[in-house]
Amino acid sequence: MKKTKKRSFVVIGLGMFGGTVAPALAQMGDDVLGVDIDEGLVRKYANRLTHTAILDARDEVALREAGVGNFDVAIVAIGENLEANILASMNVKALGIKEIWVKAQSLTHHKILLRIGVTKIIHPERDMGLQVAETLHTPYVTDYINLGSDQYLVSFILQEDMLTQGLDKFVSKNDSGACLVGAMRGDKFIDFTNIIDITTETGDRLLAIGTKEQLRKLSGLL
Ligand code: ATP
């Protein structure tokens, strides 16, 4: 099997957000440099990350000397200090990092980051809030991923009557336009390529892809 090319990451700001992203990437085997101005925080993460550096990310020279320009991806996770967040984003860009993800706090901040030309702007509280509302609003949905262009991958809980009527019957009456791709049984993925032979069990989660409209219609069929 072809191996995924490993990428290296620099995470600037090891608060709740950066301090979650950085060790999670390192645990998946990625090369991660964690940076923070707070010595105590850097020490806290020292043995969970590949490299760490105590520095002020407003200082481009300090970032260069720490080798930040050699990393493939930068995640700027400085929160409250807007000036530091913006300068850190500009600095990693000046150091030649092509992919830059930045945590933003406001619409004005978002606009400034767009001007700087960062790759992705994250609003963790807003995005999580929307995700929670969407999940609560749509019956039986346990989780979803926004794929962009109004397409979502959604996980539905299978209902009792669906178990009894059989998956193939359910599939044949699916006129929602959403595409059923498979199911999760515990941590095992069941491929729906050959749907006739598939039996469903209590606790299975059905995976479907479609627009919000199509997925709402599909959840109405469950
Ligand atoms: P979170 O919600 O992720 O905890 P937050 O939104 O409250 O974060 P802060 O705590 O202000 O944001 O910033 C996150 C981290 O960024 C902190 O650990 C802080 O020490 C670090 N930080 C702030 N300014 C700088 C800077 N100039 N250089 C490097 N790190 C910085």
Side-chain angles (χ1 to χ4, degrees), residues 12-18 36-38 41 55-58 77-81 84 103:
I12 300 175
L14 296 171
M16 182 62 83
F17 183 73
D36 204 289
I37 201 167
D38 181 330
L41 265 179
L55 57 82
D56 184 341
R58 289 174 296 188
I78 298 172
E80 281 162 31
N81 188 338
K103 177 176 139 165

mmCIF file of all heavy atoms in Angstrom, residues 12-18 36-38 41 55-58 77-81 84 103, ligand 1:
data_model
loop_
_atom_site.group_PDB
_atom_site.id
_atom_site.type_symbol
_atom_site.label_atom_id
_atom_site.label_comp_id
_atom_site.label_asym_id
_atom_site.label_seq_id
_atom_site.Cartn_x
_atom_site.Cartn_y
_atom_site.Cartn_z
ATOM 1 N N ILE A 12 1.960 26.917 17.322
ATOM 2 C CA ILE A 12 2.352 28.103 18.089
ATOM 3 C C ILE A 12 1.245 28.467 19.066
ATOM 4 O O ILE A 12 0.139 28.824 18.659
ATOM 5 C CB ILE A 12 2.666 29.281 17.139
ATOM 6 C CG1 ILE A 12 3.817 28.879 16.199
ATOM 7 C CG2 ILE A 12 3.011 30.524 17.932
ATOM 8 C CD1 ILE A 12 4.138 29.907 15.134
ATOM 9 N N GLY A 13 1.533 28.315 20.361
ATOM 10 C CA GLY A 13 0.538 28.542 21.403
ATOM 11 C C GLY A 13 0.043 27.198 21.902
ATOM 12 O O GLY A 13 -0.610 26.455 21.165
ATOM 13 N N LEU A 14 0.411 26.873 23.137
ATOM 14 C CA LEU A 14 0.043 25.554 23.672
ATOM 15 C C LEU A 14 -1.012 25.685 24.772
ATOM 16 O O LEU A 14 -0.924 25.079 25.831
ATOM 17 C CB LEU A 14 1.294 24.834 24.196
ATOM 18 C CG LEU A 14 2.356 24.504 23.125
ATOM 19 C CD1 LEU A 14 3.649 23.995 23.768
ATOM 20 C CD2 LEU A 14 1.838 23.490 22.111
ATOM 21 N N GLY A 15 -2.036 26.522 24.497
ATOM 22 C CA GLY A 15 -3.181 26.618 25.414
ATOM 23 C C GLY A 15 -4.065 25.390 25.226
ATOM 24 O O GLY A 15 -3.602 24.345 24.751
ATOM 25 N N MET A 16 -5.338 25.507 25.565
ATOM 26 C CA MET A 16 -6.253 24.359 25.455
ATOM 27 C C MET A 16 -6.302 23.832 24.014
ATOM 28 O O MET A 16 -6.229 22.628 23.772
ATOM 29 C CB MET A 16 -7.651 24.802 25.916
ATOM 30 C CG MET A 16 -8.681 23.722 25.914
ATOM 31 S SD MET A 16 -8.267 22.403 27.045
ATOM 32 C CE MET A 16 -8.874 23.102 28.572
ATOM 33 N N PHE A 17 -6.399 24.751 23.037
ATOM 34 C CA PHE A 17 -6.538 24.343 21.633
ATOM 35 C C PHE A 17 -5.221 23.768 21.089
ATOM 36 O O PHE A 17 -5.154 22.605 20.682
ATOM 37 C CB PHE A 17 -7.007 25.550 20.804
ATOM 38 C CG PHE A 17 -7.256 25.222 19.370
ATOM 39 C CD1 PHE A 17 -8.363 24.488 18.994
ATOM 40 C CD2 PHE A 17 -6.374 25.645 18.382
ATOM 41 C CE1 PHE A 17 -8.590 24.173 17.659
ATOM 42 C CE2 PHE A 17 -6.592 25.344 17.048
ATOM 43 C CZ PHE A 17 -7.704 24.606 16.698
ATOM 44 N N GLY A 18 -4.158 24.591 21.107
ATOM 45 C CA GLY A 18 -2.855 24.124 20.593
ATOM 46 C C GLY A 18 -2.332 22.941 21.383
ATOM 47 O O GLY A 18 -1.723 22.021 20.836
ATOM 48 N N ASP A 36 5.720 28.056 22.670
ATOM 49 C CA ASP A 36 4.923 28.947 23.518
ATOM 50 C C ASP A 36 5.874 29.908 24.224
ATOM 51 O O ASP A 36 7.045 29.607 24.414
ATOM 52 C CB ASP A 36 4.098 28.149 24.549
ATOM 53 C CG ASP A 36 2.878 28.909 25.029
ATOM 54 O OD1 ASP A 36 3.056 29.909 25.774
ATOM 55 O OD2 ASP A 36 1.739 28.526 24.669
ATOM 56 N N ILE A 37 5.322 31.044 24.605
ATOM 57 C CA ILE A 37 6.098 32.060 25.316
ATOM 58 C C ILE A 37 6.227 31.667 26.799
ATOM 59 O O ILE A 37 7.116 32.129 27.510
ATOM 60 C CB ILE A 37 5.412 33.447 25.149
ATOM 61 C CG1 ILE A 37 6.381 34.581 25.408
ATOM 62 C CG2 ILE A 37 4.150 33.548 25.972
ATOM 63 C CD1 ILE A 37 5.833 35.941 24.952
ATOM 64 N N ASP A 38 5.327 30.784 27.237
ATOM 65 C CA ASP A 38 5.254 30.375 28.643
ATOM 66 C C ASP A 38 6.111 29.121 28.881
ATOM 67 O O ASP A 38 5.801 28.031 28.395
ATOM 68 C CB ASP A 38 3.764 30.105 28.954
ATOM 69 C CG ASP A 38 3.515 29.681 30.383
ATOM 70 O OD1 ASP A 38 4.405 29.050 30.989
ATOM 71 O OD2 ASP A 38 2.411 29.964 30.876
ATOM 72 N N LEU A 41 4.440 25.945 30.367
ATOM 73 C CA LEU A 41 3.613 25.193 29.419
ATOM 74 C C LEU A 41 4.489 24.364 28.476
ATOM 75 O O LEU A 41 4.181 23.203 28.188
ATOM 76 C CB LEU A 41 2.769 26.154 28.573
ATOM 77 C CG LEU A 41 1.360 26.423 29.036
ATOM 78 C CD1 LEU A 41 0.684 27.404 28.103
ATOM 79 C CD2 LEU A 41 0.564 25.116 29.082
ATOM 80 N N LEU A 55 9.560 30.681 23.068
ATOM 81 C CA LEU A 55 9.881 31.937 22.379
ATOM 82 C C LEU A 55 8.637 32.778 22.167
ATOM 83 O O LEU A 55 7.506 32.295 22.270
ATOM 84 C CB LEU A 55 10.606 31.658 21.041
ATOM 85 C CG LEU A 55 9.957 30.785 19.988
ATOM 86 C CD1 LEU A 55 8.956 31.543 19.146
ATOM 87 C CD2 LEU A 55 11.054 30.241 19.064
ATOM 88 N N ASP A 56 8.880 34.040 21.857
ATOM 89 C CA ASP A 56 7.800 34.968 21.538
ATOM 90 C C ASP A 56 7.591 34.937 20.026
ATOM 91 O O ASP A 56 8.477 35.354 19.268
ATOM 92 C CB ASP A 56 8.204 36.377 22.009
ATOM 93 C CG ASP A 56 7.092 37.390 21.811
ATOM 94 O OD1 ASP A 56 6.167 37.126 21.016
ATOM 95 O OD2 ASP A 56 7.157 38.452 22.449
ATOM 96 N N ALA A 57 6.447 34.444 19.601
ATOM 97 C CA ALA A 57 6.200 34.255 18.170
ATOM 98 C C ALA A 57 6.021 35.571 17.414
ATOM 99 O O ALA A 57 5.912 35.578 16.197
ATOM 100 C CB ALA A 57 4.978 33.358 17.964
ATOM 101 N N ARG A 58 6.025 36.699 18.136
ATOM 102 C CA ARG A 58 6.011 38.010 17.448
ATOM 103 C C ARG A 58 7.386 38.297 16.851
ATOM 104 O O ARG A 58 7.537 39.172 16.022
ATOM 105 C CB ARG A 58 5.657 39.126 18.450
ATOM 106 C CG ARG A 58 4.207 39.085 18.877
ATOM 107 C CD ARG A 58 3.910 40.090 19.962
ATOM 108 N NE ARG A 58 4.651 39.774 21.186
ATOM 109 C CZ ARG A 58 4.482 40.374 22.342
ATOM 110 N NH1 ARG A 58 3.606 41.354 22.458
ATOM 111 N NH2 ARG A 58 5.166 40.028 23.400
ATOM 112 N N ALA A 77 -2.146 29.048 17.275
ATOM 113 C CA ALA A 77 -3.219 28.815 18.239
ATOM 114 C C ALA A 77 -3.144 29.799 19.404
ATOM 115 O O ALA A 77 -3.575 29.487 20.505
ATOM 116 C CB ALA A 77 -3.138 27.364 18.738
ATOM 117 N N ILE A 78 -2.603 30.983 19.121
ATOM 118 C CA ILE A 78 -2.595 32.042 20.144
ATOM 119 C C ILE A 78 -3.997 32.625 20.155
ATOM 120 O O ILE A 78 -4.550 32.941 19.096
ATOM 121 C CB ILE A 78 -1.556 33.138 19.804
ATOM 122 C CG1 ILE A 78 -0.148 32.554 19.788
ATOM 123 C CG2 ILE A 78 -1.661 34.303 20.792
ATOM 124 C CD1 ILE A 78 0.926 33.512 19.276
ATOM 125 N N GLY A 79 -4.588 32.784 21.350
ATOM 126 C CA GLY A 79 -5.984 33.205 21.413
ATOM 127 C C GLY A 79 -6.171 34.666 21.703
ATOM 128 O O GLY A 79 -6.390 35.477 20.804
ATOM 129 N N GLU A 80 -6.057 35.019 22.993
ATOM 130 C CA GLU A 80 -6.465 36.357 23.439
ATOM 131 C C GLU A 80 -5.638 37.492 22.851
ATOM 132 O O GLU A 80 -6.164 38.565 22.594
ATOM 133 C CB GLU A 80 -6.410 36.424 24.966
ATOM 134 C CG GLU A 80 -7.633 35.774 25.592
ATOM 135 C CD GLU A 80 -7.407 35.429 27.055
ATOM 136 O OE1 GLU A 80 -6.648 36.146 27.731
ATOM 137 O OE2 GLU A 80 -7.984 34.418 27.490
ATOM 138 N N ASN A 81 -4.346 37.264 22.669
ATOM 139 C CA ASN A 81 -3.483 38.346 22.196
ATOM 140 C C ASN A 81 -3.540 38.447 20.664
ATOM 141 O O ASN A 81 -2.823 37.756 19.949
ATOM 142 C CB ASN A 81 -2.052 38.100 22.694
ATOM 143 C CG ASN A 81 -1.152 39.274 22.401
ATOM 144 O OD1 ASN A 81 -1.432 40.086 21.515
ATOM 145 N ND2 ASN A 81 -0.060 39.364 23.139
ATOM 146 N N ALA A 84 -0.303 39.343 18.816
ATOM 147 C CA ALA A 84 0.642 38.219 18.730
ATOM 148 C C ALA A 84 0.172 37.194 17.707
ATOM 149 O O ALA A 84 0.965 36.643 16.937
ATOM 150 C CB ALA A 84 0.795 37.559 20.105
ATOM 151 N N LYS A 103 -6.170 30.123 14.400
ATOM 152 C CA LYS A 103 -7.375 30.229 15.219
ATOM 153 C C LYS A 103 -7.771 31.700 15.301
ATOM 154 O O LYS A 103 -6.961 32.547 15.672
ATOM 155 C CB LYS A 103 -7.059 29.676 16.611
ATOM 156 C CG LYS A 103 -8.175 29.768 17.596
ATOM 157 C CD LYS A 103 -7.785 29.107 18.888
ATOM 158 C CE LYS A 103 -8.267 29.948 20.042
ATOM 159 N NZ LYS A 103 -8.252 29.256 21.299
HETATM 160 P P1 ATP B 1 -7.090 28.229 24.526
HETATM 161 O O1 ATP B 1 -8.587 28.424 24.421
HETATM 162 O O2 ATP B 1 -6.503 27.439 23.422
HETATM 163 O O3 ATP B 1 -6.600 27.814 25.897
HETATM 164 P P2 ATP B 1 -6.918 31.062 24.485
HETATM 165 O O4 ATP B 1 -7.849 31.397 23.367
HETATM 166 O O5 ATP B 1 -7.337 31.335 25.900
HETATM 167 O O6 ATP B 1 -6.404 29.614 24.289
HETATM 168 P P3 ATP B 1 -4.375 32.158 25.049
HETATM 169 O O7 ATP B 1 -4.313 31.367 26.324
HETATM 170 O O8 ATP B 1 -4.374 33.618 25.099
HETATM 171 O O9 ATP B 1 -5.557 31.754 24.160
HETATM 172 O O10 ATP B 1 -3.170 31.692 24.070
HETATM 173 C C1 ATP B 1 -2.864 30.366 23.845
HETATM 174 C C2 ATP B 1 -1.383 30.152 24.110
HETATM 175 O O11 ATP B 1 -0.603 31.035 23.311
HETATM 176 C C3 ATP B 1 -0.985 30.418 25.567
HETATM 177 O O12 ATP B 1 -0.383 29.259 26.109
HETATM 178 C C4 ATP B 1 -0.021 31.576 25.481
HETATM 179 O O13 ATP B 1 1.044 31.470 26.422
HETATM 180 C C5 ATP B 1 0.507 31.467 24.058
HETATM 181 N N1 ATP B 1 0.994 32.747 23.577
HETATM 182 C C6 ATP B 1 0.414 33.964 23.726
HETATM 183 N N2 ATP B 1 1.179 34.927 23.158
HETATM 184 C C7 ATP B 1 2.267 34.292 22.621
HETATM 185 C C8 ATP B 1 3.410 34.727 21.898
HETATM 186 N N3 ATP B 1 3.619 36.010 21.608
HETATM 187 N N4 ATP B 1 4.314 33.812 21.503
HETATM 188 C C9 ATP B 1 4.124 32.486 21.780
HETATM 189 N N5 ATP B 1 3.072 32.016 22.461
HETATM 190 C C10 ATP B 1 2.155 32.900 22.887
#
